[in-house]
Amino acid sequence: MSNDLQRNAAGRLVPTQINGETAIPYKGVGAHVPSGRKTAPLISRCADYPADGNKVVADLKTALERAGLRDGMTISSHHHFRNGDLVANQVFDAAAELGVKDLRWFPSASFPCHEPMIRHLESGVLHHIEGSMNGPLGAYASEGKMRGTGVLRSHGGRYQAVQDGEVHIDIAVIAAPTSDPFGNCNGVQGPSACGGLGFALADAQYADRVIVVTDNLVPFPCVPWQIMGNHVDYVVVMDKIGEPEKIVSGTTNITKSPDRLLIAELTARFVEAAGILKDGFSFQAGAGGTSLAFAIFLRDMMREKNIRARFVRGGSTRYLVDMLEEGLTDYILDGQTFDLAGVASMRDNPRHIHTNPFVSYNYHNKGNIASMLDVVVLGATEVDTHFNANVVTHSDGRLLHGIGGWQNCLFSKCTILPIPSFRDRIPVIVDEVTTLCGPGELIDVIVTERGIAINPLRQDLIEATKNSGLPIRSIDEIKEEVEGICGGVPDKPQFNDNIIAAIKWVDGTVIDVVRQVAES
Amino acid sequence: MNRAVAGRSGRGVRSDCLVEITETGGSGVRIEMQSKVDVLYGRANRALLEELISFFKLDGVNVRVEDSGALPYTIAARFETAIRRLNGVDGTGWLPPARVQGTGSVRDRFRRSRLYLPGNDPKLAINACVHGADGLILDLEDSVASSEKDAARILVRNALRAVDFGAAERMVRINQLPLGLEDLDAIVPQHPDLILLPKVESAAQVTEAAAHIRRLQDGAGSAYEIYLMPIIESAKGAIEAYSIACASPSVVALAIGLEDYTADIGAERTLEGKESAWMRGAVLNAARAAGVQAIDTVFSDVTDMDGLFTSVLEAKALGFDGKGCIHPRQIPVVHRGFAPSDAEIEKAKRIVLAFDDAERQGLGVVSLGSKMIDPPVVKRAQRSIRLAIMSGLLENDWKETPDEQ
């Protein structure tokens, strides 16, 4: 990429143009002030839609044709089925059959089940992907094989990008476990029920054309309508849209690792010692074995001390559902269900609330839920001694994960990263993160099995926990100890100049880039 | 063509590596290395292999390594095992520079919890110290397959040199003699704090091990104290428990193994444990008579923490000082169980204060109110106070803090 690079406020060299469009380098937390109005969708008129409300068309290909699919368009999809999605691949198979080229896929997240997209990247149907690239797609991009530059955004950043007009969606395809012919749809009913459809909200609101794909068509009205049919152009019925049992992945089971259980326990004890655990508090614990274990330890403390939370943010799992049913929290405010108990609860329990990135995470908004949370626990692949963290690349420099809601959650009142101090032989605390995803000023505490490091910016937390008996140490001390164990300071991954992906901050500015790994 | 393999690789293997050495009949050494951490430690690993090759003066071999994130001490152990399997070379002279040395133990230190770590699996040992066990046992006996005894011995030897076990007592469970003597040859020079002797049935077995240890230490000019903990796990062992405990001044505790014992007496092991009631009483009494600690068996259901807690309370009530652990999560439960009760702490405080008073006044007898307090009771109270402080139930400076009553 022949492109002007500029050093952003985090000291990272980033491009000022990405895929031919202007990009703003990161300016610091809260520094970028947007102006103007939100983008607006096309004006539609009822005369162009069947008066009887029946928008069903024969198949996906027909819907894409009617939606005006052509070269260079942006097609979006959502990831509520996680690794069990059966629709996104079919969209691009159909596009290939129609002979369309150079599309941009704009998923809310991708999973290993989307490996077939590599075929479409190779053949030219797809130009590039803007969204998380996990596993096989990440490896493909890391080797510099994707024509365009990937753009990774948080869930809130994705909403912001669509709303602010940075990403224009031509056609949104929404896989919906239950829909009526008008396009009112939800994710909580039907044989493929997967939970909410919150991640598809921006797509429904702002895309030029919206296609709902369902395997459970019910007569009007489909209630509840998580997505309103008034946004929808076409409805397609197919045999099976997803495998909901696959929303339960390895990351949604409680860890059995003794070290990670210890980390989870220390995290819960820290929350208690810091005075956060009190009636009416709120917390978020997402997927990931350690986060779930943290929630269990916290639950036990809440029971013991007779403490009730006002709300808990999900990714919901059966563990959070149990807490709701036991009365340990008044509400679950849920962005995404991680198992089928979560799906059933969202459907049946009026206190299990379906949310979306607009209310939870969008930074260009009049506030959001993330910043109201008392405490959030999150993962990371690397953390540096200034508490900056990486969630997208592995220590070998390869793109491995998406950002999810991670960046958005950093705005909580207390952000804790419970992480092992090393994985196998790979130190997790480094002098500088390979890829910067979250600025250290927003990360308050690192909990490892070898000690708890508190960000010096949080003197209040340091003060509150100083006599707690918890193993509180400096981050440099833990880093040195772990390097001693692992056999010295590790070498760094080598990259060439080719930028394969940009990492956006929550305000749409570019906080860092991922470069192509060098041939060894 | 001769070929030897050591270690493990493949799916699910972590922190270990496989080393394969093949004699080519030619000259020169070819190294082939695949590593999960190649980007970070590829250079370091190659330098290590070259160092090992030069130490063992290898020529005319291919060395192939599949590494799943093994630490240097593990790579070296697997390499040495492969070489020994190939041609019987003794590589004891090569060891990674010692990062950690044992700081020594104390005869009557607390041994509430001791965690078993499989000797031939490096994964669990590296972070074992973070779970707070009083002792960590690198096991060469039951957790190691008979075909891997050589590999485990070398790995444990290297672990004692390279791994920081923190404040825990560094223990090794060797095999039954005579195989256990070979274990001692490898282990003793690395300064373990304590050796567990399995299935001891006679005082002679203890004296044989103790004598072997002394010979090894004299040869090396080492005065490092290595304690012994015989494990009683047979009918005969139970009968001989007292003479076993008295067999050597190095014996600091008797431990119990109930799996083998119940099989030996022809009984089913139950949760209630009536079948082993006599034996536990006998071993406890023998240990006390000999002035050593008595350590209870392991609790084998790692998911049942309530059951474990009940079992620890029972062991404490019977007079035991500790319990074996087979999972790190059992450790805090065991410590909670052995912690003194509030009533015990209050009583101990009064006795210790009375003792201080008597000391200050130069009195020969300690008395509390109208009661005389015997020296063993004072000792016991002092121990309860130390344990209360360790368990976080009492401030270190409790004597300076005025009583709230």
Side-chain angles (χ1 to χ4, degrees):
Chain A
M1 189 183 296
S2 63
N3 198 336
D4 281 346
L5 294 179
Q6 201 175 313
R7 202 166 289 283
N8 70 14
R12 302 278 170 146
L13 275 178
V14 299
T16 51
Q17 286 227 320
I18 298 170
N19 295 320
E21 288 173 30
T22 303
I24 305 169
Y26 171 71
K27 300 173 183 174
V29 175
H32 175 61
V33 183
S35 59
R37 294 187 175 275
K38 294 181 186 178
T39 195
L42 298 172
I43 297 174
S44 306
R45 56 183 200 136
C46 292
D48 296 329
Y49 294 82
D52 66 356
N54 186 358
K55 300 175 187 173
V56 176
V57 297
D59 53 24
L60 194 52
K61 209 152 97 178
T62 310
L64 289 167
E65 274 181 313
R66 295 234 192 128
L69 179 69
R70 59 172 194 277
D71 293 357
M73 277 190 160
T74 297
I75 315 296
S76 75
S77 65
H78 69 74
H79 72 280
H80 291 105
F81 283 103
R82 298 165 62 78
N83 203 31
D85 173 41
L86 298 175
V87 172
N89 290 332
Q90 292 187 57
V91 171
F92 293 94
D93 292 347
E97 281 177 41
L98 291 168
V100 178
K101 298 280 184 200
D102 297 336
L103 298 174
R104 167 167 65 164
W105 181 33
F106 184 60
S108 56
S110 76
F111 279 82
C113 67
H114 296 119
E115 188 175 359
M117 293 294 180
I118 291 176
R119 196 173 63 222
H120 298 309
L121 286 163
E122 297 270 311
S123 72
V125 172
L126 268 176
H127 183 266
H128 73 278
I129 300 170
E130 288 198 27
S132 71
M133 282 174 279
N134 299 323
L137 290 175
Y140 182 85
S142 288
E143 285 159 16
K145 293 179 183 165
M146 195 163 77
R147 278 188 292 159
T149 307
V151 180
L152 276 72
R153 297 179 175 87
S154 60
H155 290 325
R158 185 177 185 274
Y159 194 97
Q160 167 272 321
V162 174
Q163 161 204 284
D164 292 5
E166 283 169 37
V167 175
H168 174 76
I169 303 171
D170 294 295
I171 302 173
V173 181
I174 299 173
T178 292
S179 175
D180 64 25
F182 187 63
N184 292 309
C185 57
N186 70 53
V188 292
Q189 297 161 347
S192 299
C194 62
L197 293 178
F199 291 116
L201 179 68
D203 311 57
Q205 289 172 323
Y206 293 102
D208 285 351
R209 294 284 174 254
V210 176
I211 302 169
V212 165
V213 182
T214 189
D215 55 9
N216 187 42
L217 190 72
V218 296
F220 178 92
C222 165
V223 213
W225 50 56
Q226 291 174 335
I227 302 278
M228 284 180 285
N230 311 68
H231 291 304
V232 177
D233 293 271
Y234 311 103
V235 175
V236 174
V237 183
M238 58 171 68
D239 287 346
K240 194 164 172 59
I241 60 166
E243 300 171 287
E245 59 281 3
K246 290 197 182 159
I247 67 175
V248 185
S249 65
T251 57
T252 53
N253 287 322
I254 290 185
T255 180
K256 290 193 176 69
S257 146
D259 292 353
R260 296 193 185 202
L261 284 168
L262 176 67
I263 293 168
E265 184 186 2
L266 286 173
T267 307
R269 284 174 54 199
F270 181 89
V271 168
E272 183 190 18
I276 296 168
L277 188 67
K278 53 175 188 263
D279 255 342
F281 86 116
S282 58
F283 74 93
Q284 173 157 357
T290 310
S291 293
L292 290 177
F294 159 77
I296 301 292
F297 283 113
L298 204 65
R299 176 199 69 192
D300 292 347
M301 285 178 178
M302 290 167 74
R303 273 185 192 150
E304 198 181 314
K305 300 174 146 261
N306 204 14
I307 285 170
R308 185 179 172 111
R310 177 59 176 163
F311 69 96
V312 175
R313 276 277 300 155
S316 71
T317 58
R318 64 193 158 96
Y319 306 106
L320 291 194
V321 170
D322 287 347
M323 289 180 73
L324 179 67
E325 288 174 0
E326 198 183 320
L328 290 171
T329 179
D330 292 346
Y331 292 96
I332 296 176
L333 301 183
D334 198 356
Q336 181 181 17
T337 50
F338 285 134
D339 64 21
L340 299 183
V343 176
S345 172
M346 183 184 278
R347 180 181 59 231
D348 302 330
N349 192 331
R351 291 182 171 272
H352 188 146
I353 309 299
H354 172 228
T355 71
N356 55 57
F358 174 75
V359 300
S360 306
Y361 291 151
N362 179 17
Y363 190 69
H364 287 174
N365 214 349
K366 297 175 180 176
N368 66 33
I369 296 172
S371 70
M372 295 182 225
L373 278 157
D374 289 319
V375 61
V376 61
V377 297
L378 302 165
T381 59
E382 290 178 328
V383 179
D384 71 24
T385 49
H386 298 100
F387 290 79
N388 298 306
N390 174 13
V391 286
V392 297
T393 48
H394 198 266
S395 303
D396 65 5
R398 284 170 191 269
L399 201 52
L400 188 78
H401 297 292
I403 300 171
W406 187 90
Q407 286 178 333
N408 312 111
C409 290
L410 300 181
F411 288 86
S412 84
K413 292 175 204 165
C414 179
T415 298
I416 306 179
L417 308 186
I419 45 177
S421 65
F422 59 103
R423 299 183 169 97
D424 283 346
R425 193 184 169 179
I426 302 169
V428 171
I429 302 173
V430 295
D431 54 0
E432 191 178 24
V433 286
T434 309
T435 311
L436 175 64
C437 300
E441 64 191 281
L442 295 177
I443 294 167
D444 302 310
V445 186
I446 311 291
V447 180
T448 77
E449 79 288 1
R450 289 180 174 267
I452 299 173
I454 305 174
N455 192 326
L457 294 172
R458 292 301 302 267
Q459 286 300 321
D460 57 328
L461 293 175
I462 293 172
E463 189 61 28
T465 56
K466 71 176 181 198
N467 294 321
S468 61
L470 288 166
I472 290 166
R473 309 172 66 185
S474 84
I475 194 162
D476 297 278
E477 197 182 321
I478 300 173
K479 173 175 175 279
E480 266 171 47
E481 181 174 301
V482 170
E483 284 170 351
I485 292 167
C486 293
V489 179
D491 289 340
K492 289 193 177 300
Q494 300 298 311
F495 301 97
N496 64 30
D497 289 339
N498 184 24
I499 292 170
I500 61 115
I503 311 298
K504 293 272 189 140
W505 180 234
V506 297
D507 57 7
T509 58
V510 182
I511 192 163
D512 205 354
V513 295
V514 181
R515 289 186 165 79
Q516 181 180 343
V517 288
E519 299 285 329
S520 54
Chain B
M1 210 179 295
N2 281 331
R3 196 169 68 101
V5 178
R8 297 193 307 146
S9 74
R11 264 183 87 80
V13 173
R14 299 176 66 179
S15 309
D16 205 343
C17 68
L18 178 139
V19 177
E20 181 190 72
I21 301 179
T22 313
E23 288 178 341
T24 59
S27 67
V29 178
R30 219 183 78 210
I31 300 175
E32 190 189 324
M33 176 142 188
Q34 287 174 315
S35 172
K36 275 190 191 166
V37 296
D38 202 46
V39 170
L40 305 182
Y41 290 108
R43 279 191 318 140
N45 280 345
R46 267 177 284 279
L48 173 62
L49 288 177
E50 273 158 26
E51 190 186 327
L52 288 162
I53 286 162
S54 119
F55 175 82
F56 287 101
K57 300 187 175 60
L58 293 190
D59 196 19
V61 293
N62 287 344
V63 175
R64 195 173 66 81
V65 180
E66 286 173 26
D67 171 40
S68 305
L71 295 182
Y73 83 88
T74 302
I75 297 175
R78 297 320 191 190
F79 190 95
E80 182 179 334
T81 304
I83 286 291
R84 285 199 194 203
R85 286 176 178 178
L86 194 66
N87 58 21
V89 168
D90 183 349
T92 313
W94 188 90
L95 279 174
R99 225 168 47 75
V100 187
Q101 289 276 342
T103 49
S105 185
V106 182
R107 191 178 170 80
D108 65 345
R109 66 162 286 161
F110 288 104
R111 296 190 177 87
R112 297 165 296 174
S113 58
R114 61 191 214 290
L115 176 67
Y116 279 96
L117 300 164
N120 201 35
D121 188 349
K123 183 177 64 193
L124 297 170
I126 304 165
N127 253 346
C129 70
V130 305
H131 298 284
D134 288 339
L136 294 170
I137 306 167
L138 295 157
D139 180 32
L140 295 171
E141 199 216 7
D142 283 350
S143 65
V144 180
S146 54
S147 62
E148 291 295 317
K149 295 290 184 191
D150 59 334
R153 192 181 290 145
I154 296 170
L155 185 67
V156 166
R157 183 203 67 189
N158 280 13
L160 286 169
R161 276 296 277 262
V163 179
D164 186 350
F165 292 106
E169 196 170 27
R170 296 144 46 96
M171 306 177 171
V172 178
R173 180 167 72 171
I174 60 170
N175 288 284
Q176 278 182 277
L177 309 187
L179 185 61
L181 298 179
E182 289 178 51
D183 296 332
L184 289 175
D185 291 342
I187 299 310
V188 167
Q190 311 311 326
H191 297 173
D193 295 320
L194 184 149
I195 303 286
L196 287 113
L197 305 170
K199 300 190 180 68
V200 176
E201 299 196 315
S202 72
Q205 290 167 328
V206 177
T207 46
E208 189 184 357
H212 197 78
I213 292 171
R214 202 171 317 116
R215 269 197 304 279
L216 288 166
Q217 288 197 298
D218 287 349
S222 165
Y224 192 92
E225 183 104 47
I226 297 178
Y227 296 117
L228 296 176
M229 187 188 293
I231 310 174
I232 309 297
E233 37 194 338
S234 66
K236 186 146 188 293
I239 295 284
E240 297 293 329
Y242 179 67
S243 66
I244 290 168
C246 297
S248 159
S250 299
V251 174
V252 291
L254 290 186
I256 285 175
L258 283 188
E259 286 302 335
D260 286 6
Y261 173 76
T262 44
D264 192 35
I265 61 166
E268 190 87 10
R269 192 175 171 193
T270 64
L271 199 59
E272 200 189 7
K274 271 187 186 164
E275 71 285 351
S276 55
W278 174 83
M279 183 267 205
R280 290 166 87 197
V283 172
L284 181 105
N285 194 69
R288 292 288 177 244
V292 303
Q293 294 174 347
I295 312 287
D296 199 14
T297 188
V298 298
F299 186 80
S300 13
D301 185 350
V302 296
T303 60
D304 182 6
M305 293 300 170
D306 293 337
L308 170 66
F309 188 63
T310 309
S311 143
V312 175
L313 290 183
E314 183 212 39
K316 183 188 173 208
L318 288 175
F320 284 100
D321 297 281
K323 189 104 185 149
C325 297
I326 51 172
H327 192 282
R329 298 303 301 169
Q330 293 183 322
I331 296 163
V333 181
V334 168
H335 288 186
R336 196 154 44 85
F338 278 112
S341 66
D342 291 349
E344 281 174 85
I345 296 171
E346 282 315 308
K347 188 175 161 200
K349 277 161 81 174
R350 286 200 304 274
I351 293 169
V352 168
L353 290 173
F355 173 77
D356 288 354
D357 236 22
E359 287 264 277
R360 245 191 320 273
Q361 296 174 38
L363 300 175
V365 279
V366 185
S367 55
L368 197 57
S370 57
K371 276 167 102 182
M372 289 242 300
I373 306 292
D374 294 327
V377 177
V378 173
K379 222 177 141 191
R380 191 90 204 144
Q382 286 167 332
R383 194 175 168 80
S384 292
I385 292 293
R386 283 210 306 279
L387 192 52
I389 292 169
M390 267 177 81
S391 310
L393 299 172
L394 194 63
E395 293 294 327
N396 215 350
D397 58 353
W398 63 276
K399 284 182 193 170
E400 282 111 67
T401 331
D403 217 325
E404 279 164 28
Q405 291 166 11

